[in-house]
Structures are given as C-alpha cells and as structure tokens.
Amino acid sequence: MFTRRNFLTTSGLLAGAGLLGGLTFGSRRGQAADGYPRRVVIFLEGNGIRPACMFDPLTRETLEGHAGKAIESNRDYGHDDPVLLPAAPLSEARALGSLAAGDGTISLVERSALVLGLSATYLGGGHSTDFGALSASNSSGGPASASIETVLSQIAEVRGNTPFDAVRVGIGAATSPLNYSSCAFDKAKPAPILLTPRASFASLFGSVASGQAGEEFQSRKQLLEFAIEDVARELKDFSGSSRGRVKLETYEASLLAMLARNDQILGMKDALLAVKPTGPGELDPDPYASTDPLDQLRLQVDVVQAALLSGLTNVAVVSIGSGSYYWSMQFDSLADFYPGGQVIAGHDLRHAESAESYETLHELTSRGVAEMARVARALEAKPEAGGTMLDNTLLLYMSDNGEMHHSNAEEWPMLLVGGNNMGFKTDGRSVTYPKAGHENNRQTSNVFNSMLHGAGLPTDDFGHGNPATRIAEGPLAELWG
C-alpha cells in the first residue's frame, strides 16, 4: 500500500505527534462559563518525597502533640480527624524555602497548601508506581487508564484553543530521549515524556527559532504536506477493504490535524516571540550542552513556563526522574550536600539511609519545588480574567511512589499552589489526614477528583480500577470547594 520511503516518512511523523500532546478534533471553547481559563501543572518527583522535608515547624509540633512522640512518617500520626492549620509557616519547611519572599520576588506562602497523610497503598509503592501515580490505578501490567493530565486536557474549559492538549517533559537517568513509564493516553497506551531540552524547545518554539530548531520546524511542515499528498493519492486509487480505507482516512485526518496545529502555531508568532526562552546555541557557553540534571530541569521548566504564558498549552507534566529507575541520577551540582561531598549513584544514595543522604534528597526536593515556585511567580505576574494567571492555574508537586525509596505508599506529601478561581483553598494552610488504614484517611485519588471538579468535570470516581480500594469518593473539602 505504501512504498518503503513513504512508510518511514509518515510513520515517523505520527510517532512525533504524541511527544508533547495528542490530537483532538472538533470545536473547542476558549474558557469556562465563569469567564476564567483553567490550567494544571504537575511536578512529579521520582522515588518518593520524604515527609520530613515538608513539615513546617507548626505542622510538626501539632502532629507530634497528637502522636505524643517525634514523627517522621504517616505511620506515626495519631489523630482521628483531619488536622487543619489555617496559617502554617510553610516556607520554614526544609524543602519549601522557595515559597518565601526574596529579592524582588513575592511570597507564595499565602498562595499554597501543604497536604500530608494521603495514601495509595493499593498502587504497591516500591521504587515507583509508574503509571499508577498519575492514574490512581494499579499499573503493574502497564497503564490501566488515562493519567490525570490526559483527562484534564480533554476538558473543554481546560483545553480552550491551545495547539497542544498537554506538554510532558522532564529529566531522568536514561539513554533514550523518551520516558514511557509515567503518563498514559488511555489503557495500554503510554504517553511519552520528552527528556531532551533541545527537542522540547524545537517542538514548541521552533517556529520562531533560528538555527537547527527553526530548520526542523520547517522540515516537519514540508514532510506533513508530502505525507498528506501521498495518502490522498492512495485513497484516490484505493481498491482494498472498507476497513483498510477507514485506516487510511483516520491516518489522513491525523496528518491534517497536525498540519492545522503547525499553522496555528505559525499564527501565534508574536505571542511566542514575547516569551520564547533561550534556545540552543544562543548563549556562550550553551546551557543546552550541560549534562547536569538540574541544569536540564531548568531548561525544561523554561519551556513549560513559556508554553503556558504564550497559550501553547494549559496542561503540563514536569518529571523529575519519575518512573522505574529514571530517578537514579547523579547530581554533580549538589556535591556539597552528598555525604562527605562525594557524588554517588542515585540508587546507592537512596540506600545509604543516613542523615547525610537524607539531606541530599531533601535538597533535591527543595530544588524541584523552587522550579515550580518560579513558574508560579511568572504566572502571578501576568494579569488575566479574575486576577492573574496563577489564580486560574493549579500547580501540584508530588512524588511517584509515596514517602521513600522502598515505599509502602502510605504517605504522599503534596504541595499545591494557586488555582483560587478554580475553587482551591491555597491560602497558606496545612492539612494532614489520619494515617493509612484509618477510616478517615484519604487518598491521592481524592486530590485528582478535586482537580477535576475545579477544572469543570465534576466527577467523584477517578482512579481505582477496583472500587473496593477506594476509601471515600470525591473531592477533599479541606482543599477544594
């Protein structure tokens, strides 16, 4: 049906279609009925977030008063009802210092909420729950359902008129440029996370870039046009089965949608130029040449931030080593925090289980939260209907397996920032739910259901392939509503 050349050309294009977001068809509304856009950004740290680095002094003191002893994890909490502290000094937590006001920066403490005590033991824990973290469904055999960012990106009030439904980028210990272990389009359909800052920049800002990134964008457009002509020719002379024709027509529709997206991006030239981050080769030394994971993370976050500000997308996932063994990175720039100042492999670091190794992990979480805070401040600085872009954007920082290296998934610390116009109570509060196993414990899926309510899709049953694993349905009253 296709020549070898045509097959290789067009299949490569379709493979690229899913790198930063899937394709949808039909008309889309630009904003919600209340006039406010809705956005969600998720930072997903691999291999656990130790609760100790999230405890602010007041939260720790209060929980230790309930427990009657020093606490380090969810297993030690002793209360029977949610503990709500309306004005916690969140920026005094080890990993949350970036929320405080600094030189020329505003405080985000009063725009944040700390959530402790959530569980998801049915996901398994271990090194990573892989797709389970964002789908709230056990994924031991692969994606059991679409992950939360995919579901959010298909909501009309969220998608709006953006070219990309969702952007998925990050860093990780891998020789492959793609991470297929955390996000999913649907059951058994993984969604790739792009691990190369150069590729992220070229895909999103190649239309306004010079050099190789700009050339790649133009080449992609030409290849799309070539592929569409080729499929149209095949359809004109096609004499095969009706099923074969449907496949060709679906293929043609995908190509046409991709070309339309390219044209839409070209029409956004001024908006893209206004926020375009530094591209490869534009500085000397070139930051894109760095192999340090934290340098790469900053570049990826630059691209995500600019994509949000320009309207390329309203949904993003930033992976910080999420998924099985993608977390096993060495961070040369954190040498001062490693035990004895000696940088070691990520797996060895997590097995050290010492105060010094924990300090390194706490610093890694601190750097990740700082990147999220940087995005939040950029959104807060941009006026928009209802206040600022931050009022209409919820940012979430979470882990992909719970509380530690070999997790039981009994504690999933989370930090939420912004989203006030979406109904989120991010006002400086700290909320801690009773421990895993308690009838008043709540789960990570409850946060995702809260997000869906806030995004315009009021549902109470996201996640849990087996409903018997659900403790309570719906959103969290202490966080949303």
Side-chain angles (χ1 to χ4, degrees), residues 211-283:
Q212 184 178 353
E215 293 172 2
E216 288 177 356
F217 184 89
Q218 292 302 320
S219 296
R220 185 164 66 247
K221 186 175 188 296
Q222 292 170 1
L223 288 172
L224 279 168
E225 292 170 342
F226 168 81
I228 290 169
E229 291 177 2
D230 187 69
V231 176
R233 190 180 307 115
E234 293 289 344
L235 280 169
K236 180 180 179 182
D237 301 326
F238 185 74
S239 59
S241 67
S242 58
R243 183 176 181 182
R245 173 169 288 277
V246 169
K247 286 185 177 180
L248 274 175
E249 290 173 344
T250 301
Y251 184 33
E252 181 184 44
S254 295
L255 292 169
L256 289 169
M258 291 168 66
L259 185 62
R261 180 165 69 185
N262 265 33
D263 291 341
Q264 183 181 3
I265 292 171
L266 288 171
M268 299 173 65
K269 180 179 179 180
D270 291 343
L272 298 181
L273 283 172
V275 297
K276 180 184 79 69
T278 300
E282 293 182 4
L283 295 178

Side-chain angles (χ1 to χ4, degrees), residues 69 73-77 403-404 408 410-411 435-436:
K69 59 181 179 180
S73 73
N74 173 275
R75 291 181 292 274
D76 299 316
Y77 301 165
E403 73 275 14
M404 58 186 179
N408 293 313
E410 293 183 350
E411 163 66 286
K435 65 182 181 180

